[in-house]
Amino acid sequence: MTYRDPPGIIAPHVPADAYRRAEATGAPVVIVVQTTDPNGVPWRRVLIPLAIAGAAALGGWGLVVAVCALLDAAAHTVTVIAGAAGPIGFGGITLRLARTRHL
């Protein structure tokens, strides 16, 4: 009579004599595995969405700051160009872009 090893990764957990007896008689092998269920909040399930939402919020604030900086730079550029250009006239209508400073 030839003996076979128990199948799969459960082999080290089944006593060899019990497995061979079940194999010889044709009885089923019943394996009871005791596990403990975690009794808490699965933090990974909570923290990943919070991290994504935080990154999106910081990215949105970064975009707002960038737009404000660009608008500020554009306003300063327009002020400098208007001060250097002087009055602009077209068809008899003169538009003074910047006021001169009177000290």
mmCIF file of all heavy atoms in Angstrom, residues 48-91:
data_model
loop_
_atom_site.group_PDB
_atom_site.id
_atom_site.type_symbol
_atom_site.label_atom_id
_atom_site.label_comp_id
_atom_site.label_asym_id
_atom_site.label_seq_id
_atom_site.Cartn_x
_atom_site.Cartn_y
_atom_site.Cartn_z
ATOM 1 N N ILE A 48 -7.639 55.746 3.619
ATOM 2 C CA ILE A 48 -7.348 55.963 2.197
ATOM 3 C C ILE A 48 -8.305 56.996 1.587
ATOM 4 O O ILE A 48 -7.854 57.933 0.923
ATOM 5 C CB ILE A 48 -7.343 54.627 1.436
ATOM 6 C CG1 ILE A 48 -6.111 53.825 1.857
ATOM 7 C CG2 ILE A 48 -7.348 54.844 -0.067
ATOM 8 C CD1 ILE A 48 -6.036 52.445 1.266
ATOM 9 N N PRO A 49 -9.629 56.915 1.776
ATOM 10 C CA PRO A 49 -10.491 57.970 1.239
ATOM 11 C C PRO A 49 -10.218 59.344 1.856
ATOM 12 O O PRO A 49 -10.299 60.371 1.168
ATOM 13 C CB PRO A 49 -11.909 57.501 1.572
ATOM 14 C CG PRO A 49 -11.810 56.039 1.720
ATOM 15 C CD PRO A 49 -10.447 55.803 2.289
ATOM 16 N N LEU A 50 -9.886 59.365 3.169
ATOM 17 C CA LEU A 50 -9.565 60.648 3.791
ATOM 18 C C LEU A 50 -8.287 61.244 3.193
ATOM 19 O O LEU A 50 -8.192 62.456 2.998
ATOM 20 C CB LEU A 50 -9.419 60.483 5.298
ATOM 21 C CG LEU A 50 -10.728 60.331 6.069
ATOM 22 C CD1 LEU A 50 -10.448 60.104 7.546
ATOM 23 C CD2 LEU A 50 -11.627 61.531 5.881
ATOM 24 N N ALA A 51 -7.311 60.415 2.917
ATOM 25 C CA ALA A 51 -6.070 60.900 2.311
ATOM 26 C C ALA A 51 -6.331 61.435 0.906
ATOM 27 O O ALA A 51 -5.786 62.482 0.513
ATOM 28 C CB ALA A 51 -5.040 59.782 2.271
ATOM 29 N N ILE A 52 -7.180 60.767 0.159
ATOM 30 C CA ILE A 52 -7.504 61.233 -1.195
ATOM 31 C C ILE A 52 -8.270 62.548 -1.136
ATOM 32 O O ILE A 52 -7.989 63.482 -1.895
ATOM 33 C CB ILE A 52 -8.303 60.151 -1.957
ATOM 34 C CG1 ILE A 52 -7.396 58.944 -2.227
ATOM 35 C CG2 ILE A 52 -8.877 60.686 -3.250
ATOM 36 C CD1 ILE A 52 -8.120 57.743 -2.783
ATOM 37 N N ALA A 53 -9.228 62.654 -0.213
ATOM 38 C CA ALA A 53 -9.987 63.900 -0.078
ATOM 39 C C ALA A 53 -9.088 65.041 0.387
ATOM 40 O O ALA A 53 -9.219 66.175 -0.089
ATOM 41 C CB ALA A 53 -11.141 63.701 0.910
ATOM 42 N N GLY A 54 -8.168 64.762 1.316
ATOM 43 C CA GLY A 54 -7.234 65.793 1.770
ATOM 44 C C GLY A 54 -6.321 66.262 0.659
ATOM 45 O O GLY A 54 -6.049 67.460 0.514
ATOM 46 N N ALA A 55 -5.836 65.334 -0.156
ATOM 47 C CA ALA A 55 -4.978 65.712 -1.281
ATOM 48 C C ALA A 55 -5.756 66.547 -2.303
ATOM 49 O O ALA A 55 -5.225 67.519 -2.858
ATOM 50 C CB ALA A 55 -4.405 64.465 -1.940
ATOM 51 N N ALA A 56 -7.007 66.197 -2.538
ATOM 52 C CA ALA A 56 -7.824 66.976 -3.476
ATOM 53 C C ALA A 56 -8.090 68.378 -2.932
ATOM 54 O O ALA A 56 -8.048 69.363 -3.686
ATOM 55 C CB ALA A 56 -9.149 66.256 -3.743
ATOM 56 N N ALA A 57 -8.339 68.488 -1.629
ATOM 57 C CA ALA A 57 -8.576 69.808 -1.033
ATOM 58 C C ALA A 57 -7.315 70.669 -1.091
ATOM 59 O O ALA A 57 -7.378 71.857 -1.440
ATOM 60 C CB ALA A 57 -9.026 69.643 0.419
ATOM 61 N N LEU A 58 -6.163 70.072 -0.766
ATOM 62 C CA LEU A 58 -4.915 70.837 -0.853
ATOM 63 C C LEU A 58 -4.606 71.235 -2.296
ATOM 64 O O LEU A 58 -4.107 72.335 -2.550
ATOM 65 C CB LEU A 58 -3.766 70.023 -0.269
ATOM 66 C CG LEU A 58 -3.736 69.914 1.242
ATOM 67 C CD1 LEU A 58 -2.613 68.995 1.685
ATOM 68 C CD2 LEU A 58 -3.587 71.280 1.875
ATOM 69 N N GLY A 59 -4.906 70.359 -3.233
ATOM 70 C CA GLY A 59 -4.710 70.698 -4.641
ATOM 71 C C GLY A 59 -5.616 71.835 -5.082
ATOM 72 O O GLY A 59 -5.203 72.720 -5.835
ATOM 73 N N GLY A 60 -6.857 71.837 -4.603
ATOM 74 C CA GLY A 60 -7.777 72.935 -4.926
ATOM 75 C C GLY A 60 -7.294 74.258 -4.365
ATOM 76 O O GLY A 60 -7.332 75.290 -5.043
ATOM 77 N N TRP A 61 -6.829 74.242 -3.095
ATOM 78 C CA TRP A 61 -6.298 75.474 -2.505
ATOM 79 C C TRP A 61 -5.034 75.922 -3.242
ATOM 80 O O TRP A 61 -4.796 77.127 -3.403
ATOM 81 C CB TRP A 61 -6.004 75.292 -1.024
ATOM 82 C CG TRP A 61 -7.236 75.430 -0.192
ATOM 83 C CD1 TRP A 61 -7.901 74.449 0.447
ATOM 84 C CD2 TRP A 61 -7.962 76.639 0.058
ATOM 85 N NE1 TRP A 61 -9.003 74.956 1.088
ATOM 86 C CE2 TRP A 61 -9.062 76.309 0.872
ATOM 87 C CE3 TRP A 61 -7.792 77.958 -0.333
ATOM 88 C CZ2 TRP A 61 -9.977 77.260 1.302
ATOM 89 C CZ3 TRP A 61 -8.711 78.899 0.098
ATOM 90 C CH2 TRP A 61 -9.785 78.544 0.902
ATOM 91 N N GLY A 62 -4.230 74.978 -3.685
ATOM 92 C CA GLY A 62 -3.048 75.335 -4.471
ATOM 93 C C GLY A 62 -3.420 76.024 -5.769
ATOM 94 O O GLY A 62 -2.761 76.991 -6.193
ATOM 95 N N LEU A 63 -4.481 75.549 -6.420
ATOM 96 C CA LEU A 63 -4.943 76.198 -7.650
ATOM 97 C C LEU A 63 -5.454 77.615 -7.370
ATOM 98 O O LEU A 63 -5.200 78.549 -8.147
ATOM 99 C CB LEU A 63 -6.046 75.366 -8.305
ATOM 100 C CG LEU A 63 -5.584 74.105 -9.027
ATOM 101 C CD1 LEU A 63 -6.785 73.300 -9.507
ATOM 102 C CD2 LEU A 63 -4.694 74.458 -10.195
ATOM 103 N N VAL A 64 -6.160 77.796 -6.267
ATOM 104 C CA VAL A 64 -6.662 79.127 -5.915
ATOM 105 C C VAL A 64 -5.504 80.086 -5.674
ATOM 106 O O VAL A 64 -5.503 81.230 -6.147
ATOM 107 C CB VAL A 64 -7.587 79.041 -4.673
ATOM 108 C CG1 VAL A 64 -7.893 80.412 -4.116
ATOM 109 C CG2 VAL A 64 -8.878 78.319 -5.024
ATOM 110 N N VAL A 65 -4.490 79.629 -4.943
ATOM 111 C CA VAL A 65 -3.333 80.482 -4.666
ATOM 112 C C VAL A 65 -2.596 80.823 -5.956
ATOM 113 O O VAL A 65 -2.169 81.970 -6.163
ATOM 114 C CB VAL A 65 -2.392 79.785 -3.647
ATOM 115 C CG1 VAL A 65 -1.060 80.488 -3.548
ATOM 116 C CG2 VAL A 65 -3.059 79.733 -2.291
ATOM 117 N N ALA A 66 -2.460 79.850 -6.859
ATOM 118 C CA ALA A 66 -1.781 80.098 -8.127
ATOM 119 C C ALA A 66 -2.544 81.120 -8.981
ATOM 120 O O ALA A 66 -1.935 82.021 -9.582
ATOM 121 C CB ALA A 66 -1.603 78.794 -8.896
ATOM 122 N N VAL A 67 -3.859 81.018 -9.029
ATOM 123 C CA VAL A 67 -4.662 81.975 -9.804
ATOM 124 C C VAL A 67 -4.551 83.371 -9.203
ATOM 125 O O VAL A 67 -4.416 84.370 -9.928
ATOM 126 C CB VAL A 67 -6.134 81.504 -9.884
ATOM 127 C CG1 VAL A 67 -7.037 82.599 -10.394
ATOM 128 C CG2 VAL A 67 -6.242 80.285 -10.764
ATOM 129 N N CYS A 68 -4.577 83.465 -7.872
ATOM 130 C CA CYS A 68 -4.435 84.770 -7.218
ATOM 131 C C CYS A 68 -3.073 85.385 -7.518
ATOM 132 O O CYS A 68 -2.960 86.590 -7.779
ATOM 133 C CB CYS A 68 -4.637 84.638 -5.703
ATOM 134 S SG CYS A 68 -6.346 84.318 -5.244
ATOM 135 N N ALA A 69 -2.030 84.575 -7.494
ATOM 136 C CA ALA A 69 -0.690 85.086 -7.796
ATOM 137 C C ALA A 69 -0.598 85.555 -9.244
ATOM 138 O O ALA A 69 0.001 86.607 -9.537
ATOM 139 C CB ALA A 69 0.354 84.014 -7.518
ATOM 140 N N LEU A 70 -1.198 84.818 -10.156
ATOM 141 C CA LEU A 70 -1.185 85.233 -11.567
ATOM 142 C C LEU A 70 -1.976 86.520 -11.781
ATOM 143 O O LEU A 70 -1.555 87.402 -12.540
ATOM 144 C CB LEU A 70 -1.747 84.116 -12.449
ATOM 145 C CG LEU A 70 -0.818 82.929 -12.674
ATOM 146 C CD1 LEU A 70 -1.548 81.838 -13.437
ATOM 147 C CD2 LEU A 70 0.423 83.357 -13.437
ATOM 148 N N LEU A 71 -3.127 86.640 -11.125
ATOM 149 C CA LEU A 71 -3.912 87.861 -11.263
ATOM 150 C C LEU A 71 -3.186 89.064 -10.664
ATOM 151 O O LEU A 71 -3.246 90.170 -11.217
ATOM 152 C CB LEU A 71 -5.283 87.695 -10.610
ATOM 153 C CG LEU A 71 -6.259 86.781 -11.361
ATOM 154 C CD1 LEU A 71 -7.536 86.607 -10.556
ATOM 155 C CD2 LEU A 71 -6.562 87.327 -12.728
ATOM 156 N N ASP A 72 -2.498 88.864 -9.551
ATOM 157 C CA ASP A 72 -1.725 89.937 -8.939
ATOM 158 C C ASP A 72 -0.595 90.378 -9.868
ATOM 159 O O ASP A 72 -0.377 91.579 -10.067
ATOM 160 C CB ASP A 72 -1.161 89.474 -7.601
ATOM 161 C CG ASP A 72 -0.459 90.587 -6.859
ATOM 162 O OD1 ASP A 72 -1.042 91.688 -6.766
ATOM 163 O OD2 ASP A 72 0.662 90.347 -6.368
ATOM 164 N N ALA A 73 0.114 89.403 -10.448
ATOM 165 C CA ALA A 73 1.197 89.746 -11.378
ATOM 166 C C ALA A 73 0.647 90.456 -12.612
ATOM 167 O O ALA A 73 1.257 91.419 -13.118
ATOM 168 C CB ALA A 73 1.950 88.482 -11.775
ATOM 169 N N ALA A 74 -0.502 90.015 -13.108
ATOM 170 C CA ALA A 74 -1.098 90.659 -14.282
ATOM 171 C C ALA A 74 -1.527 92.087 -13.955
ATOM 172 O O ALA A 74 -1.350 93.001 -14.775
ATOM 173 C CB ALA A 74 -2.297 89.843 -14.765
ATOM 174 N N ALA A 75 -2.076 92.325 -12.775
ATOM 175 C CA ALA A 75 -2.491 93.679 -12.391
ATOM 176 C C ALA A 75 -1.281 94.599 -12.277
ATOM 177 O O ALA A 75 -1.326 95.756 -12.737
ATOM 178 C CB ALA A 75 -3.248 93.637 -11.075
ATOM 179 N N HIS A 76 -0.197 94.110 -11.697
ATOM 180 C CA HIS A 76 1.013 94.933 -11.609
ATOM 181 C C HIS A 76 1.591 95.224 -12.993
ATOM 182 O O HIS A 76 2.039 96.347 -13.262
ATOM 183 C CB HIS A 76 2.069 94.247 -10.735
ATOM 184 C CG HIS A 76 1.764 94.328 -9.283
ATOM 185 N ND1 HIS A 76 1.797 95.506 -8.577
ATOM 186 C CD2 HIS A 76 1.382 93.366 -8.394
ATOM 187 C CE1 HIS A 76 1.474 95.269 -7.321
ATOM 188 N NE2 HIS A 76 1.198 93.981 -7.182
ATOM 189 N N THR A 77 1.552 94.247 -13.872
ATOM 190 C CA THR A 77 2.058 94.449 -15.236
ATOM 191 C C THR A 77 1.222 95.486 -15.976
ATOM 192 O O THR A 77 1.765 96.374 -16.645
ATOM 193 C CB THR A 77 2.032 93.109 -15.998
ATOM 194 O OG1 THR A 77 2.796 92.153 -15.274
ATOM 195 C CG2 THR A 77 2.597 93.254 -17.389
ATOM 196 N N VAL A 78 -0.086 95.399 -15.859
ATOM 197 C CA VAL A 78 -0.957 96.376 -16.523
ATOM 198 C C VAL A 78 -0.705 97.776 -15.966
ATOM 199 O O VAL A 78 -0.672 98.761 -16.718
ATOM 200 C CB VAL A 78 -2.438 95.963 -16.360
ATOM 201 C CG1 VAL A 78 -3.372 97.079 -16.757
ATOM 202 C CG2 VAL A 78 -2.717 94.721 -17.178
ATOM 203 N N THR A 79 -0.497 97.885 -14.674
ATOM 204 C CA THR A 79 -0.233 99.188 -14.056
ATOM 205 C C THR A 79 1.068 99.784 -14.567
ATOM 206 O O THR A 79 1.132 100.981 -14.895
ATOM 207 C CB THR A 79 -0.185 99.039 -12.526
ATOM 208 O OG1 THR A 79 -1.404 98.467 -12.085
ATOM 209 C CG2 THR A 79 0.012 100.379 -11.866
ATOM 210 N N VAL A 80 2.093 98.977 -14.670
ATOM 211 C CA VAL A 80 3.384 99.470 -15.170
ATOM 212 C C VAL A 80 3.287 99.876 -16.628
ATOM 213 O O VAL A 80 3.773 100.945 -17.036
ATOM 214 C CB VAL A 80 4.474 98.390 -14.964
ATOM 215 C CG1 VAL A 80 5.747 98.752 -15.710
ATOM 216 C CG2 VAL A 80 4.746 98.216 -13.500
ATOM 217 N N ILE A 81 2.617 99.091 -17.445
ATOM 218 C CA ILE A 81 2.483 99.422 -18.872
ATOM 219 C C ILE A 81 1.633 100.679 -19.044
ATOM 220 O O ILE A 81 1.954 101.555 -19.860
ATOM 221 C CB ILE A 81 1.881 98.232 -19.639
ATOM 222 C CG1 ILE A 81 2.890 97.078 -19.677
ATOM 223 C CG2 ILE A 81 1.466 98.630 -21.041
ATOM 224 C CD1 ILE A 81 2.332 95.805 -20.255
ATOM 225 N N ALA A 82 0.554 100.780 -18.286
ATOM 226 C CA ALA A 82 -0.311 101.954 -18.403
ATOM 227 C C ALA A 82 0.416 103.217 -17.956
ATOM 228 O O ALA A 82 0.235 104.291 -18.547
ATOM 229 C CB ALA A 82 -1.573 101.754 -17.577
ATOM 230 N N GLY A 83 1.248 103.105 -16.926
ATOM 231 C CA GLY A 83 1.997 104.276 -16.459
ATOM 232 C C GLY A 83 3.047 104.706 -17.464
ATOM 233 O O GLY A 83 3.329 105.902 -17.621
ATOM 234 N N ALA A 84 3.635 103.772 -18.166
ATOM 235 C CA ALA A 84 4.671 104.100 -19.133
ATOM 236 C C ALA A 84 4.090 104.574 -20.462
ATOM 237 O O ALA A 84 4.711 105.360 -21.176
ATOM 238 C CB ALA A 84 5.557 102.882 -19.368
ATOM 239 N N ALA A 85 2.917 104.124 -20.811
ATOM 240 C CA ALA A 85 2.356 104.443 -22.118
ATOM 241 C C ALA A 85 1.757 105.836 -22.173
ATOM 242 O O ALA A 85 1.759 106.469 -23.222
ATOM 243 C CB ALA A 85 1.281 103.418 -22.470
ATOM 244 N N GLY A 86 1.243 106.332 -21.086
ATOM 245 C CA GLY A 86 0.596 107.644 -21.120
ATOM 246 C C GLY A 86 -0.808 107.526 -21.661
ATOM 247 O O GLY A 86 -1.387 106.449 -21.722
ATOM 248 N N PRO A 87 -1.374 108.658 -22.092
ATOM 249 C CA PRO A 87 -2.753 108.612 -22.603
ATOM 250 C C PRO A 87 -2.826 107.939 -23.974
ATOM 251 O O PRO A 87 -1.934 108.063 -24.785
ATOM 252 C CB PRO A 87 -3.144 110.079 -22.689
ATOM 253 C CG PRO A 87 -1.885 110.827 -22.719
ATOM 254 C CD PRO A 87 -0.857 109.994 -22.026
ATOM 255 N N ILE A 88 -3.913 107.228 -24.201
ATOM 256 C CA ILE A 88 -4.140 106.562 -25.483
ATOM 257 C C ILE A 88 -5.335 107.243 -26.139
ATOM 258 O O ILE A 88 -6.391 107.412 -25.520
ATOM 259 C CB ILE A 88 -4.433 105.064 -25.271
ATOM 260 C CG1 ILE A 88 -3.201 104.362 -24.701
ATOM 261 C CG2 ILE A 88 -4.848 104.410 -26.575
ATOM 262 C CD1 ILE A 88 -3.410 102.904 -24.408
ATOM 263 N N GLY A 89 -5.156 107.622 -27.400
ATOM 264 C CA GLY A 89 -6.243 108.288 -28.119
ATOM 265 C C GLY A 89 -6.634 107.503 -29.358
ATOM 266 O O GLY A 89 -5.805 106.914 -30.036
ATOM 267 N N PHE A 90 -7.953 107.531 -29.634
ATOM 268 C CA PHE A 90 -8.441 106.870 -30.833
ATOM 269 C C PHE A 90 -9.682 107.606 -31.313
ATOM 270 O O PHE A 90 -10.680 107.701 -30.597
ATOM 271 C CB PHE A 90 -8.792 105.395 -30.521
ATOM 272 C CG PHE A 90 -9.281 104.628 -31.723
ATOM 273 C CD1 PHE A 90 -8.398 104.219 -32.699
ATOM 274 C CD2 PHE A 90 -10.624 104.330 -31.885
ATOM 275 C CE1 PHE A 90 -8.844 103.520 -33.805
ATOM 276 C CE2 PHE A 90 -11.080 103.648 -32.980
ATOM 277 C CZ PHE A 90 -10.187 103.233 -33.954
ATOM 278 N N GLY A 91 -9.628 108.150 -32.504
ATOM 279 C CA GLY A 91 -10.782 108.848 -33.093
ATOM 280 C C GLY A 91 -11.208 110.056 -32.290
ATOM 281 O O GLY A 91 -12.398 110.335 -32.192
#
